[in-house]
Each structure stands twice: as C-alpha cells, then as structure tokens.
Amino acid sequence: MKREMRRIKQLLPEEKTAEIMERNTAGVLAVKDDEGYPYAVPISYVYADGKVYMHSAKEGHKVDAVKNYDKASFCVIDKDQIVPEEYTTYFRSAIAFGKVRLIEEGEEKQRAIELLGRKYNPNGTEEDLQRTIEKEDPRFVIIALDIEHMTGKEAIELVRAAENRQM
C-alpha cells in the first residue's frame, strides 16, 4: 500500500531520496514483533540495488520479528538542525517500505557483507575483508529489505531556501 504524502511540496525527488540512503550509515528498522508490537531498532546498513542490507546475529528479537512478519520500514535521518527561535527543526529524511527476509548463505549474502565491509572500512584491504568474512560468517545473517516504495521529505524551510538559490 502506497500512501500519498500530505505535504507534497516537501517531497524529495527519487534521486535525492536515494542519495540520502546511500550516504548515511545508520537507520532505524521497524518490524512487527511476535506479540504484535512495533519494534524499531537502530542499525548500520548499506543501500544497493533497491535493497537495504543489514547484518545481524542469528538469533534475537529482530530476527524473530523478521521470521514472523515480512513487512517492514526503514528510516534514515539525514539532517536534524534545531532552530530554537522558530521552535522547529530543519530536517531531511528518507523512509523505505518493503518486505524483509533473512539471507543465511549464498552469493547474495557474500555480496551484501562485502558491500557492508567496504562501506564501514573503505581503506581496508580486500584480503583483510575476506579473512574477516570467513571468520565471522557462521555467526551472522543478513537482513534484506526489498524496497517496494521509498520517499524522502525535508523541512519546508529547506525547500524554500533551495528555491531561492535557483532564482
């Protein structure tokens, strides 16, 4: 189900939303737990090929939630500047909706963990990355969010500032 954004003027173009997902390092995965409660957990991630990949221990609240219900959302805050004199924040964020699944083995798991490794250790050697993956692989799974719908939004003040720069 895709809901239209109420404040459409604040909607970011798709490419700007993708840039938010690409440049940031942490987001919040929101899933439904086994008792029906929302469970939102901050997590490191990588965005690639229309998916969000996250690594996780093989057991726990998050993994149980993914196993029990495959719908989820993932939110990234790109900017959150407090403006006290205006009683507001100048924000920019992105949110993705889709289906989550566990990847326990195979080529997709290998690619995802390589992408994560390169993102979080961009100066590491390929040999070190592969050695670390081999050592840690039995301990983790990859959670993949296959994105069905993604939107970005920013404060109206940022929209107006961008419009003024273009004039």
Side-chain angles (χ1 to χ4, degrees):
M1 177 176 116
K2 179 181 172 183
R3 287 184 75 155
E4 295 301 318
M5 188 177 295
R6 188 172 56 88
R7 295 188 174 181
I8 197 73
K9 189 165 182 155
Q10 293 175 255
L11 178 67
L12 292 172
E14 284 183 36
E15 62 274 4
K16 296 284 187 190
T17 302
E19 288 171 10
I20 290 171
M21 297 296 283
E22 289 167 358
R23 80 171 148 252
N24 285 280
T25 59
V28 178
L29 175 66
V31 292
K32 179 178 153 184
D33 79 4
D34 51 356
E35 293 185 18
Y37 286 98
Y39 178 61
V41 59
I43 193 166
S44 301
Y45 75 97
V46 66
Y47 170 76
D49 306 319
K51 297 173 181 26
V52 175
Y53 292 112
M54 303 150 272
H55 78 287
S56 173
K58 288 187 168 187
E59 296 177 350
H61 197 170
K62 174 176 59 216
V63 170
D64 289 346
V66 170
K67 286 178 181 177
N68 288 324
Y69 193 73
D70 68 349
K71 292 181 182 175
S73 65
F74 185 78
C75 179
V76 175
I77 298 171
D78 188 52
K79 180 182 182 75
D80 184 32
Q81 176 189 346
I82 297 171
V83 186
E85 61 275 9
E86 295 179 29
Y87 295 93
T88 194
T89 62
Y90 292 178
F91 67 88
R92 185 179 307 111
S93 62
I95 187 165
F97 298 88
K99 302 265 178 88
V100 283
R101 60 193 166 85
L102 299 177
I103 306 171
E104 299 188 48
E105 57 187 30
E107 289 179 25
E108 189 177 16
K109 180 181 180 185
Q110 180 71 24
R111 175 169 155 61
I113 199 62
E114 287 174 357
L115 288 167
L116 282 160
R118 289 183 191 113
K119 180 172 185 172
Y120 291 93
N121 187 5
N123 298 320
T125 66
E126 207 50 40
E127 296 79 23
D128 186 45
L129 175 61
Q130 293 306 321
R131 193 170 33 255
T132 302
I133 291 171
E134 284 178 32
K135 177 183 168 195
E136 300 296 328
D137 186 63
R139 298 180 179 163
F140 71 88
V141 295
I142 293 292
I143 298 173
L145 173 67
D146 298 314
I147 298 172
E148 296 173 351
H149 174 63
M150 186 166 69
T151 59
K153 182 178 178 181
E154 67 181 356
I156 194 66
E157 295 84 357
L158 297 175
V159 172
R160 290 178 185 138
E163 288 171 351
N164 289 337
R165 282 192 299 273
Q166 293 176 358
M167 291 182 169

